[in-house]
Amino acid sequence: KELVARALHQNSDRKNKPFVPVNISALPESILESELFGHEAGSFTGAVSKRIGKFEYANGGTLFLDEVGEMPVDTQIKLLRVLESRKISRVGANEEFDINVRLVAATNADLMRSVHEGRFRRDLFFRICVLPMRVPPLRSRAQDIPMIARGILVSLTVERGRPDVQLTPAAEQALMAYAWPGNLRELRTVIERALLGGE
């Protein structure tokens, strides 16, 4: 999901501005609002200085909200207001200021089901579902695996100073034959493990 979001960013007129990924499920509910919108000094216990939030940091660029379906309803309301007004206000601040961010949201959850169950706001669903994209799992597009694996291998070998390493045809066939329940993360881990084993 993040690779797709990065590709959208890199192939847009925002490519020279920040790409800011945020994994909603990795943030405790108590700090999520501050992470997204920032806060002013003294706005809550422990807020000893002003902090810029992810929206402000991504201004002019792209904000990628992964696992948006995990967002608490209170924060969903604030997110909807930001998307509709294109203004943010840091926690503890009185003034609002304009924000220009492309939002890309992703989730593994069935958001429409979450809407029906009252866990995700219907108005926010329709606000973020402007151009929906489905990214099929690796197991349903085996023909793409060698190309994806080669891309991963190139980035890993450049990191390690070993650009001469390549996948053999037999390795590509083995990668295509596997179901990849862990999807892209698992594929990257397997390639990295094989690369480390050869060092």
Side-chain angles (χ1 to χ4, degrees):
K1 294 175 290 181
E2 185 171 334
L3 285 177
V4 172
R6 282 185 186 276
L8 290 170
H9 176 73
Q10 288 299 324
N11 290 283
S12 75
D13 57 359
R14 296 174 182 263
K15 64 184 175 187
N16 296 320
K17 297 292 185 177
F19 174 85
V20 181
V22 180
N23 187 335
I24 300 297
S25 63
L27 293 170
E29 187 174 337
S30 58
I31 66 164
L32 180 58
E33 187 179 342
S34 174
E35 282 291 316
L36 291 177
F37 310 119
H39 64 253
E40 295 292 335
S43 56
F44 55 85
T45 304
V48 294
S49 61
K50 179 174 83 171
R51 186 176 199 286
I52 292 175
K54 302 299 186 186
F55 265 96
E56 193 172 348
Y57 185 68
N59 199 15
T62 303
L63 179 65
F64 173 54
L65 297 182
D66 196 7
E67 299 304 342
V68 71
E70 303 296 319
M71 184 177 284
V73 174
D74 288 348
T75 311
Q76 290 177 35
I77 295 166
K78 292 173 178 135
L79 175 60
L80 179 63
R81 177 166 168 67
V82 168
L83 295 178
E84 291 182 340
S85 70
R86 296 182 184 264
K87 295 178 182 296
I88 63 167
S89 177
R90 294 187 199 106
V91 176
N94 292 321
E95 74 281 353
E96 291 185 322
F97 54 92
D98 294 334
I99 201 80
N100 176 5
V101 171
R102 170 190 284 133
L103 179 72
V104 179
T107 184
N108 283 321
D110 179 344
L111 278 188
M112 188 47 78
R113 181 176 179 180
S114 297
V115 166
H116 291 310
E117 294 173 353
R119 292 181 287 112
F120 200 83
R121 290 181 60 93
R122 182 179 300 273
D123 46 6
L124 179 58
F125 173 81
F126 287 113
R127 189 67 183 84
I128 65 174
C129 197
V130 176
L131 183 61
M133 294 176 65
R134 293 189 65 81
V135 180
L138 286 178
R139 66 183 166 273
S140 66
R141 51 192 175 117
Q143 72 280 2
D144 293 341
I145 292 173
M147 178 191 64
I148 294 168
R150 284 191 294 269
I152 293 169
L153 186 60
V154 165
S155 67
L156 289 173
T157 54
V158 167
E159 283 175 21
R160 290 173 170 70
R162 298 180 58 202
D164 57 328
V165 178
Q166 295 182 6
L167 290 172
T168 65
E172 290 184 2
Q173 288 300 316
L175 294 175
M176 289 172 66
Y178 182 64
W180 301 107
N183 246 329
L184 201 57
R185 285 188 182 99
E186 184 181 7
L187 177 60
R188 182 183 170 89
T189 299
V190 166
I191 293 171
E192 190 166 16
R193 187 179 300 137
L195 189 61
L196 289 173
E199 289 183 352

